Amino acid sequence: MTVELAPSRRERKKQATRQAIHEAAFTLAEEDGLVGVTVEAIAARADVAPRTFFNYFPSKEEAILDWDGERPESMRRALLARPLAEDALTALRRVMEDEVAQRVLDAERALRRMRLIRSEPHLRAAMAACSEDMERALVAGVAERTGQDVDADLYPALVVSAAWGAFKVAHLRWSDLGGRVSFEALLASAFDTLANGLAPPAIDRHPHDRPPTHERHRR
């Protein structure tokens, strides 16, 4: 049995400082837009020195996103820790389900952050770069699990691309729906669709339904 030790006082203090910097960056971006936010303003709002800011985040964008540079490696390790009896897609699904459970603790705040990201091109670009880091780490994990060459074999990149795509589609749909359907339910539906070979859902047509105009014109 693995015993998890509680964070030390020093570690709790670091976590609190990191959270304060993120809170300050996020709040300022909501208030003033990304262009109006500076590292100095974030540091002042968080009551830390500007040099302290850079101990936690390399840029204001990553502070707003609350991006942890160790997260890709953590996800890779989580993937490798999944039971070997699981196929790669199932293992990726479980890791991503755990990620949602751990990261989306405050749904309202997560939705606000998603709206902010989608409204700011530089934040979208920063999120895309973070996403690419995650994919790269997961591809390495799948390659290691399956004994394939990360550079020569297509399978690791293909299965991760499909799984990460399912995650992103569920995330965007969750945002579009304003959280009315849970992220977990949308993620499950996306992965179920993948597991079924992307078979299209059955469409119920009433007897009076007519085919699309372009089909009628061909008759």
Side-chain angles (χ1 to χ4, degrees):
M1 181 178 67
T2 302
V3 178
E4 293 187 5
L5 300 176
S8 66
R9 181 183 179 189
R10 182 170 180 273
E11 188 60 31
R12 291 196 303 272
K13 185 176 179 181
K14 287 175 64 177
Q15 291 173 353
T17 301
R18 178 189 173 87
Q19 184 63 23
I21 293 170
H22 162 61
E23 292 280 353
F26 179 69
T27 302
L28 286 168
E30 278 197 317
E31 291 174 354
D32 304 327
L34 184 63
V35 173
V37 178
T38 65
V39 168
E40 290 75 18
I42 295 170
R45 177 74 67 97
D47 196 22
V48 300
R51 65 179 180 276
T52 301
F53 173 96
F54 290 107
N55 290 336
Y56 292 88
F57 298 102
S59 68
K60 66 181 183 180
E61 288 83 3
E62 293 193 16
I64 293 165
L65 297 176
D66 196 19
W67 175 249
D68 182 354
E70 296 179 2
R71 188 174 163 202
E73 175 59 17
S74 175
M75 292 278 279
R76 187 190 71 84
R77 290 197 303 268
L79 181 60
L80 292 176
R82 295 299 309 172
L84 290 177
E86 291 180 348
D87 61 82
L89 187 62
T90 300
L92 286 162
R93 175 176 184 163
R94 300 307 175 217
V95 167
M96 291 179 191
E97 287 172 343
D98 289 345
E99 179 74 0
V100 172
Q102 293 170 21
R103 300 281 176 177
V104 189
L105 299 177
D106 184 340
E108 189 274 335
R109 183 176 181 79
L111 286 167
R112 283 167 52 205
R113 183 163 56 210
M114 192 62 179
R115 285 194 293 270
L116 180 62
I117 291 168
R118 296 176 80 174
S119 71
E120 295 280 1
H122 284 89
L123 285 179
R124 293 202 303 271
M127 178 61 84
C130 296
S131 178
E132 187 174 337
D133 288 345
M134 291 288 288
E135 282 196 68
R136 190 179 300 112
L138 291 172
V139 169
V142 169
E144 190 170 343
R145 278 180 64 94
T146 58
Q148 295 198 306
D149 188 317
V150 72
D151 296 315
D153 295 312
L154 292 177
Y155 179 77
L158 281 171
V159 72
V160 169
S161 181
W164 194 243
F167 183 91
K168 290 191 291 187
V169 167
H171 194 190
L172 289 171
R173 183 57 54 86
W174 178 67
S175 174
D176 290 339
L177 294 172
R180 293 192 299 276
V181 179
S182 74
F183 196 159
E184 293 85 350
L186 291 166
L187 187 64
S189 179
F191 269 100
D192 286 345
T193 302
L194 278 183
N196 289 331
L198 291 177
I203 299 176
D204 247 348
R205 291 194 181 278
H206 296 293
H208 62 273
D209 286 347
R210 293 194 293 175
T213 302
H214 69 277
E215 291 187 12
R216 297 202 303 271
H217 289 171
R218 288 203 299 264
R219 294 184 177 181

